[in-house]
């Protein structure tokens, strides 16, 4: 990796920062955040403005360019990568280290008095604007919205915003029609006494209308906004795709519907002016509901007194609780995914000893097996295929420069998943194709104990996921080991592989309580820098539990694994497992045999079936 | 309990709300919060204004009186009590229930347009002012500070603010001189580039100057503020007590000290004007450090741009980490406390069967035994002495109306503690003086398993206490049982029995990480409404742990119990304990025998010693 040379680009950017064509007054600093106008985790190439200006293309980072300086804030996952990808024009600001200033504090320290700091108001979330603006103002500076994105003005070959065809999902996939979702949303709006709801997150628009797209890699979403009133529905979306007959029929665009279900289709770019018109026409007590993470531009369109902001929207919360059709779809998707992985691991077991399988080849092979399954759409994220020391890099993705050959001497970690039309998968298995050391087995077994502790946990209705995080760590902690990431995230139903509002992490506190029908991952790990990485990840469904006393009728919850892929018994030190844990593994493997075995049989995949049966032999605990 | 008749009082309050002698403009609503000017948990009688105006004297509650309404917000612990103590003039607002409006929302719903809402700016914390003021302003009302407390104007026989003599603590108790504490504080101030630090919490003033008082029951504190500059020390305190020779010597008031250690003693009431003078004299970049819970009045004295607000002050954090002298003091205090409780339980075992011991008698007897111990000062909180159904009332305090006789048929729960000059104690034991039922033993054993899970937990340095909370619940959860309170709180060293910034609770997230030297309680419970309550509480010290891999030198922590009082083995269903848990109990009891046994011996308390030996016989687990 050689760094991107940015001298010329920075010169151009500094020129437009003073160019009255783009800025009312010159700005002395310009902020380039990571995200897009929807605060998406995964973004389209046209939104990779921070990567364009700096060369650093990790998933998180904020660039700030002043007349003299160019600085990049990113977190521990990316210190090395950012240092490699950026040239000497850039200063790396290592977030999380004690001496690293915040962006605001740094700006205050370098700016001449009375400076203007510019930012694209569509890209910066309102809550972040508020925080920065406050600090800057108290130091005599101003944060100002710059309407035209200054990066776009100097980005000659900026890719087009994608505008790919839409997929319509019928009731057999979604369980609830878009009309019924609108009805439910309006009832939530009535409860909170709001008249309008603005849908800004891409997965929320997709979920609400039972549509999917492919504008962003890995996430089956499309660029759109929606504004739902008590009697109106406005969908802001571009392209011919709205002329597609199945889409028109799905949305009933050409039927004479009751007025409150008639969808007005409007250009994507008209959201701001339309919302400003809504804002201008509000009578007292008419509130507009927005996510507090919506962009500053859209939030400002509504006068402050009329805004109703919440961290999680009612769509986000409804989307998280999967109905029977979605749950069944997720089950089917996970069975197909397990078939693909049984094929893969059987193949790896034969091929790895030959010394010809690299991390990239293994990842490609996993995709090949998955793509053979019914309703496969694409991967759900970039496959983490890592062996030996690469396994200790938590967000590793093999590239030619780092690509390592799998061997019988190193642990192999595969974290991968796919989008099927009926569900989204995300599974991690850690395998050894030779003989693991006692230490590797010990660490693996602690991780497994943590995985089981969460998966088998019983807890009262209303418990937040973050309260379960320590269960995953207890066995590791007892020996002085830990892992520096959360234990689980919400998973969408043929939607984003990471979604709110629930999860299992020591880092969050504002997560919504778990309830039956929610789907999260359970993925503790252990990482030994320079040596190996271990992670065991299942996607699990929150289900009601049976308990002796049932929390005085408050109700009990537990998890059911949807992922049904064998956990390599070769890696387990059985003597470190309790009887209960041993039984959990054996019952889990029995279920893999029954459910995935039947599907392998049905698909005529006999060799993979033999592999599955061999890998799911019951553990025998020495008493 | 008959309710307080408040018709006349409310009439008087509504008059002063319009009286230009007290308010610049009439206020349409007046807020009476719970606290004092220092945001203390326990308050002096002169600060019990909410109880005076309403009759409701629970520890938490806010009254709001408008021209038409009088409403009281309190939480689930006090719904019953508040309903009993208040007359029909009052509406009870049950916090935590779905349909209960917040104070702000309620005000907005009942006030005429453009109303003024008054509050004493010394009593309301700045963060709360900010939240309320924002909501009121957006609805067209105004929150206004009313200088003179309106309750005080109508409270004819308002008690005097206490002004009791001070106790000086020498190095053998505190380990660090007040001068060294000032030096350490100034170095923290220099780190954060602040020029002034305002000490507003009473326990922080007491800790900083190594002084104690008795202005507030149970809390050895005194009414005072302090303002620490880089070269000045101002102590705001009233009374003759500053003429006391030991106090003068301790503070070196009559010596010629280096100027930066000279303490200027000023009247308690002059804090606001002095702070305003400080605020007016600040040059740019000179910041003043305050707790974000400091009163609105003091916070406003410093212009906004000069404020440096944090949730926990450097004193709060330093105070929480006990040094060797403090830890040794706490150990001594807990041994003495255990002696008193051995005496008590031995006495109860003999007396309860006679049917003559009530909850109040038992509580008094506990105090009597404690008061026989060296350096006993007072109780550290109102003794919770409860038997049978009273045990299920978590914050129960026996009064003549509820006083129940202990019997051999009911569980007895005693949660009590004391202030000794060398330390503060807080211990809960649950006993049966007859034969407990299988169900009672089952519940007790789950609570014990939770207690042990926390006490024996090993976790990496830097872990926050709230991450351990679920460990205390896991065994209960498995059977569908839970308890609706946190698991632990910080404990002061001859200071408040509840202190920040650490604790073990699912409710908080902003707690500071645990570190060696911190002291918290470990007190899971189980409560069966109408039948019994179970709680097992030890005060525990955070200590370094030995682990196999030591978190890559990040270091490991665990707990050491300071409380050394037998846990009644009669209540334990040994078959529900793991071998590890059984060993924990036996080792704990062995330590009680050795340490407390020796002290009982030394004090010649032979009968109590025999009781201790009997109660600490090792458990035998059936294999």
């Amino acid at each position: 990796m050689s760094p991107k040379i940015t001298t010329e680009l920075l010169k151009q950017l500094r020129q437009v920062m003073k160019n009255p064509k783009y800025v009312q007054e010159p700005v002395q600093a310009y902020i380039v955040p990571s995200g897009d106008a929807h605060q998406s985790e995964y973004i389209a190439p046209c939104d990779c403005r921070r990567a364009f200006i700096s060369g650093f293309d990790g998933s998180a980072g904020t660039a700030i360019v002043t007349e003299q300086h160019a600085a990049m804030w990113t977190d521990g996952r990316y210190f090395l990568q950012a240092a490699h990808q950026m040239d000497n024009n850039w200063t790396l600001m290592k977030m999380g280290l004690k001496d690293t200033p915040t962006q605001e504090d740094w700006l205050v320290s370098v700016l001449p008095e009375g400076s203007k700091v510019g930012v694209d108001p569509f890209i910066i979330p309102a809550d972040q604007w508020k925080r920065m603006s406050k600090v800057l103002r108290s130091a005599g500076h101003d944060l100002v919205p710059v309407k035209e994105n200054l990066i776009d003005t100097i980005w000659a070959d900026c890719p087009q915003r994608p505008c790919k065809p839409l997929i319509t999902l019928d009731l057999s996939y979604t369980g609830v029609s878009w009309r019924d979702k609108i009805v439910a949303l309006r009832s939530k709006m009535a409860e909170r006494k709001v008249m309008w709801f603005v849908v800004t997150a891409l997965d929320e628009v997709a979920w609400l209308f039972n549509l999917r797209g492919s504008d962003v890699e890995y996430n089956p979403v499309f660029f759109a906004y929606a504004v739902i009133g008590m009697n109106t529905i406005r969908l802001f979306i571009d392209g011919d795709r709205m002329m597609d007959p199945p889409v028109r029929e799905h949305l009933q665009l050409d039927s004479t519907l009751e007025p409150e279900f008639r969808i007005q289709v409007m250009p994507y770019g008209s959201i701001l002016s339309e919302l400003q018109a809504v804002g201008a026409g509000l009578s007292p007590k008419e509130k507009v509901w927005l996510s507090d993470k919506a962009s500053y531009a859209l939030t400002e369109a509504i006068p402050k007194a009329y805004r109703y902001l919440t961290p999680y929207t009612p769509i986000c919360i409804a989307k998280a609780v999967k109905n029977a059709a979605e749950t069944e779809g997720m089950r089917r998707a996970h069975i197909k995914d397990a078939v693909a992985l049984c094929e893969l691991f059987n193949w790896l077991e034969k091929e790895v000893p030959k010394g010809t399988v690299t991390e990239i080849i293994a990842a490609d092979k996993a995709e090949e097996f998955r793509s053979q399954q019914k309703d496969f759409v694409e991967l759900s994220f970039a496959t983490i295929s890592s062996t030996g020391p690469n396994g200790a890099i938590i967000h590793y993705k093999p590239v030619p420069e780092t690509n390592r050959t799998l061997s019988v001497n190193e642990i192999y970690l595969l974290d991968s998943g796919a989008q099927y039309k009926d569900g989204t998968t995300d599974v991690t298995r850690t395998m050894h194709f030779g003989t693991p050391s006692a230490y590797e087995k010990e660490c693996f077994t602690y991780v497994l104990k943590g995985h089981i502790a969460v998966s088998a946990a019983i807890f009262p209705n209303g418990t937040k996921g973050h309260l379960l995080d320590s269960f995953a760590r207890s066995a590791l902690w007892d020996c002085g080991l830990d892992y520096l990431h959360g234990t689980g995230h919400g998973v969408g139903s043929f939607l984003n592989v990471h979604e709110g509002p629930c999860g299992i992490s020591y880092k969050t506190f504002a997560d919504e309580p778990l309830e039956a029908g929610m789907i999260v991952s359970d993925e503790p790990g252990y990482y030994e820098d320079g040596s190996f990485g271990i992670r065991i990840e299942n996607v699990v469904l929150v289900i009601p539990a049976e308990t002796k006393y049932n929390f005085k009728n408050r109700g009990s919850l537990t998890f059911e694994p949807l992922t049904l892929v064998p956990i390599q018994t070769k890696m387990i030190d059985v003597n470190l497992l309790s009887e209960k844990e041993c039984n959990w593994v054996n019952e889990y493997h029995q279920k893999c045999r029954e459910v995935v075995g039947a599907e392998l049989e049905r698909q005529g995949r006999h060799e993979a079936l033999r592999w599955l049966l061999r890998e799911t032999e019951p553990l025998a605990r020495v008493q």
Side-chain angles (χ1 to χ4, degrees), chain A residues 116-133:
Chain A
K116 307 262 177 232
V117 178
V119 66
D120 179 342
F122 268 97
I123 306 295
I124 189 168
D127 55 350
Q128 201 177 317
W129 170 286
K130 198 173 158 185
R131 207 178 50 242
M132 287 198 100
S133 166

Side-chain angles (χ1 to χ4, degrees), chain A residues 312 320 465 488-491 499-504 511-514 518-520:
Chain A
Y312 298 114
H489 53 80
V491 178
E499 68 168 25
C502 58
I504 303 174
D511 52 331
E512 287 286 308
L514 293 171
M518 285 179 165
I519 292 178
V520 296

Side-chain angles (χ1 to χ4, degrees), chain A residues 339-355:
Chain A
V339 165
L341 286 186
C342 287
E343 284 280 12
L344 176 77
F345 290 132
N346 175 54
W347 181 83
L348 285 175
E349 220 171 72
K350 290 182 303 177
E351 300 298 320
V352 167
K354 299 178 188 163

Side-chain angles (χ1 to χ4, degrees), chain A residues 321-473:
Chain A
V321 183
K322 275 68 177 175
N323 59 41
E326 290 170 322
T327 307
E328 280 318 301
M330 287 294 269
R331 275 189 222 283
R332 284 196 306 274
H334 280 82
I335 295 168
K336 292 183 285 186
D337 212 54
V339 165
L341 286 186
C342 287
E343 284 280 12
L344 176 77
F345 290 132
N346 175 54
W347 181 83
L348 285 175
E349 220 171 72
K350 290 182 303 177
E351 300 298 320
V352 167
K354 299 178 188 163
T356 53
V357 183
T358 64
E359 293 167 339
I360 293 179
I361 291 175
D364 290 347
K365 200 73 188 173
E367 181 165 4
E368 182 190 323
F369 282 122
R370 283 190 162 107
S371 69
Q372 294 164 3
Q373 294 298 314
K374 194 183 160 217
D375 278 344
F376 171 86
V377 179
E378 61 171 334
L379 297 185
S380 57
F381 58 97
T383 299
I384 300 174
S385 170
S386 56
T387 187
N390 287 342
I393 304 166
I394 295 171
H395 286 86
Y396 179 77
K397 182 193 156 182
V399 288
E401 291 86 342
T402 63
N403 195 16
R404 211 173 157 85
T405 302
L406 278 63
S407 89
V408 294
N409 302 315
E410 287 183 347
I411 288 181
Y412 176 63
L413 184 159
L414 178 74
D415 185 350
S416 61
Q419 300 287 1
Y420 301 91
K421 216 176 147 185
D422 40 13
T424 304
T425 67
D426 180 0
V427 44
T428 310
R429 285 296 178 268
T430 305
M431 317 280 283
H432 204 295
F433 299 106
T435 307
S437 72
Y439 179 59
E440 289 167 336
K441 288 173 67 173
E442 186 188 357
C443 296
F444 183 92
T445 308
Y446 296 145
V447 173
L448 176 61
K449 286 166 85 81
H451 180 93
I452 297 171
V454 169
S455 196
I458 290 175
F459 47 92
N461 236 329
T463 301
K464 292 181 168 196
H466 72 263
L467 293 169
L468 309 180
D469 185 77
S470 300
F471 289 159
R473 297 175 200 275

Side-chain angles (χ1 to χ4, degrees), chain A residues 41 203-204 293 311-322 330 426 454 459 462-469 486-493 496-523 539-543 557-559:
Chain A
E41 183 188 3
D203 63 335
E204 295 190 12
K293 270 143 221 93
Y312 298 114
T313 71
I315 296 186
C316 174
I317 293 168
K319 176 165 64 62
V321 183
K322 275 68 177 175
M330 287 294 269
D426 180 0
V454 169
F459 47 92
T463 301
K464 292 181 168 196
H466 72 263
L467 293 169
L468 309 180
D469 185 77
T487 301
H489 53 80
V491 178
S493 176
N496 296 356
V497 73
H498 295 165
E499 68 168 25
C502 58
I504 303 174
S505 175
Y506 62 98
K507 290 181 208 164
T508 45
F509 194 60
D511 52 331
E512 287 286 308
L514 293 171
E515 51 179 295
M518 285 179 165
I519 292 178
V520 296
S521 69
D522 170 14
E523 47 180 315
V539 169
V540 295
L541 171 69
V542 183
I543 57 168
L557 297 173
T558 186
F559 297 110

